[in-house]
Amino acid sequence: MTEAFIHLDNVKKVYRTRGKEFLAVSQATFDVEQGELVSLVGPSGCGKTTLLKILAGLHGFDGGVVRIGSGKQPFNPARDIGMVFQQPLLLKWRRIIDNVMLPAEILGLPQAAARARAYELLDLVGLKGHEDKYPYELSGGMQQRASIARALVHDPKLILMDEPFGALDALTREKMNLELLQIWAKAKKTIIFVTHGITEAVFLGTRVVVLTAGPAKMADNFEVDIPMPRTLDVRNTEKFGEYTRRIYRLLGME
Amino acid sequence: MSGSNEQVQRYALAVLSHLILVAAWHFFVVYGKIPKIVMPSPYDTIHALLVPNYRWLENIAATSIEVFGGFLLAAVFGILTALMFSWFRYLEMFAMPLLVSLNMIPKVALGPLMIVWLRYGIWPNTLMAFAICFFPIVLTTARGLREVEPDLLDLVRTLRGSRWQLFVKIQLPGALPYIFSGMKVAAILAVAGAIVGEFLGSERGLGYLMLQVQVTLDTAAMFMAVILITLIGGVLYGIVLGLERYFVVKDARIQ
Ligand SMILES: Nc1ncnc2c1ncn2[C@@H]1O[C@H](COP(=O)(O)OP(=O)(O)OP(=O)(O)O)[C@@H](O)[C@H]1O
Ligand SMILES: [Mg+2]
């Protein structure tokens, strides 16, 4: 059997503050293949952000194994991670195109090529014609799309998204879900998508990893056997309902 | 109604209110038969400029040098101090509380001391303007440099960005609106500092002139001096505002 692109085995994270220990993640065991879109779902405080930061190399951890990349699938942690947060976090003083360029500047990539790519990406996320605007001239949804383009500009292999649509209204959120699937299909990236929306998790994911809180641990990990491309209609199918019920049950809400 | 049309109206109304004030002043003095010693008319006030003895140009120059010089020194050293604080955390922990304590001193109370140390002249007054301007600039700049979104920090760290890149690309431009808000406050204070210095002891400047004409009860000249002092402050404030417009994106400006 070949090695998975991302491999987590019994990952555990304990926060220590003022002498007290707090278990934020435990028993996290799952593999992610290249090109998958994995939803990480669970209630507030179950350790989703913590796990994402461990994957990003921002946090250490207290037990288990985290491996990204393998002999056949090289991974450079400095260049191969793109991040999207709940807030767009665009720099107010930069035009959209220059915001998208930020990672390329930090990495010192050839500017002309990166710029051409930034324009392409803004087209991909539906912001053609808005390149020279400032963030305040864009709606929240548009700003979040720009931040997705920013996460893609250095052509990373792995995109980590932490509730990227959490701050958007329901309608915009559905639209962004559909667009994310298109972007994912075109850009062919591995995406780990954190959300506390159960419907969103199943709709987007090729795989869903469920975390539960109190005490924090990984509770489930299953493949979503609904073919891509998906339309909003799949949410009404029996199969989709089974998946969401499975998660609700785990979270003790049924 | 278009945007530029509204701009014109705004501008026109502002000019109108100023003109009305001058007109009201004129009619109040003329029809109220107010003695010139109590309140000169606008005409008398402008007329005061013609007295060669008052050496207006020289006095305007002296006060301007104090105001602009003190402000510029405060801007340069204030921003540098805040930068050092942000680069060396222990320096900030050591020196910032001291600055806060020193700022408690009413700067005006230092006037007589400055004269003892530096004698009469432009220097002690420049220093007074500097002393008043320095702290607000340090404080706002330090605060601006501190306000970096933790998630943005993470973004830079995942890309293995250097401390310098973080500073140049995110921290400093993010602090710019704060720096300008501090400089706007300082621009207004600078004039007060310089004039108080001139009141306490000086041989040149508009504040000095005011004391001179107070003796001869030339109220018109005093009025003119106050107007000119205000104009100097206004010009400095306008320059800061113009630079802010140029350097800071509309949305990021601190009102
Ligand atoms: N730096 C920290 N120090 C101490 N405890 C922390 C720290 N960061 C997070 N925690 C705790 O760890 C737990 C998991 O936090 P985390 O942010 O990973 O949750 P989450 O699943 O992302 O929640 P949400 O959906 O609200 O974003 C929480 O109970 C939180 O209080
Ligand atoms: Mg979170």
Side-chain angles (χ1 to χ4, degrees), chain A residues 2-134:
Chain A
T2 54
E3 287 186 308
F5 179 51
I6 299 174
H7 173 70
L8 276 76
D9 188 13
N10 213 4
V11 175
K12 177 179 160 188
K13 168 77 186 177
V14 179
Y15 283 116
R16 293 175 187 83
T17 36
R18 282 172 247 106
K20 282 196 181 139
E21 296 205 337
F22 185 85
L23 184 68
V25 175
S26 74
Q27 299 172 24
T29 302
F30 60 93
D31 284 359
V32 180
E33 298 299 338
Q34 213 150 19
E36 270 195 286
L37 199 173
V38 177
S39 298
L40 216 58
V41 67
S44 185
C46 69
K48 304 183 294 293
T49 299
T50 304
L51 194 54
L52 212 61
K53 287 191 172 168
I54 289 172
L55 285 167
L58 294 166
H59 275 351
F61 46 100
D62 302 278
V65 176
V66 176
R67 180 181 53 70
I68 309 182
S70 65
K72 283 190 191 142
Q73 305 166 93
F75 179 81
N76 175 353
R79 300 239 348 216
D80 284 335
I81 294 176
M83 303 259 278
V84 181
F85 305 92
Q86 183 165 2
Q87 300 299 328
L89 292 176
L90 300 176
L91 304 176
K92 289 176 179 178
W93 56 89
R94 285 183 175 222
R95 296 174 192 280
I96 297 302
I97 180 72
D98 297 322
N99 262 293
V100 174
M101 284 292 288
L102 182 73
E105 286 175 22
I106 290 175
L107 291 170
L109 304 181
Q111 292 297 290
R115 218 172 174 78
R117 185 176 159 77
Y119 276 106
E120 275 170 32
L121 287 168
L122 282 172
D123 190 13
L124 175 69
V125 300
L127 287 179
K128 200 180 178 67
H130 300 285
E131 296 90 350
D132 289 333
K133 290 187 175 165
Y134 284 101

Side-chain angles (χ1 to χ4, degrees), chain B residues 97-115:
Chain B
L98 184 64
L99 272 183
V100 173
S101 302
L102 288 178
N103 187 50
M104 295 285 187
I105 303 173
K107 257 60 75 185
V108 180
L110 292 177
L113 273 172
M114 290 210 189
I115 289 165

Side-chain angles (χ1 to χ4, degrees), chain B residues 177-241:
Chain B
Y178 292 86
I179 296 177
F180 273 106
S181 89
M183 289 204 294
K184 281 192 278 187
V185 172
I188 293 166
L189 294 174
V191 193
I195 295 303
V196 165
E198 289 180 357
F199 282 168
L200 288 173
S202 182
E203 45 213 1
R204 246 176 291 164
L206 293 167
Y208 160 79
L209 181 69
M210 282 186 79
L211 293 187
Q212 298 299 300
V213 296
Q214 192 187 29
V215 180
T216 57
L217 287 180
D218 188 348
T219 319
M222 291 177 74
F223 261 63
M224 196 65 230
V226 169
I227 290 171
L228 288 171
I229 290 164
T230 311
L231 279 179
I232 292 173
V235 168
L236 178 59
Y237 190 81
I239 290 173
V240 174
L241 215 61

Side-chain angles (χ1 to χ4, degrees), chain B residues 58-73:
Chain B
E58 197 187 314
N59 288 321
I60 290 171
T63 303
S64 298
I65 288 171
E66 292 161 8
V67 169
F68 281 79
F71 176 84
L72 222 61
L73 280 177

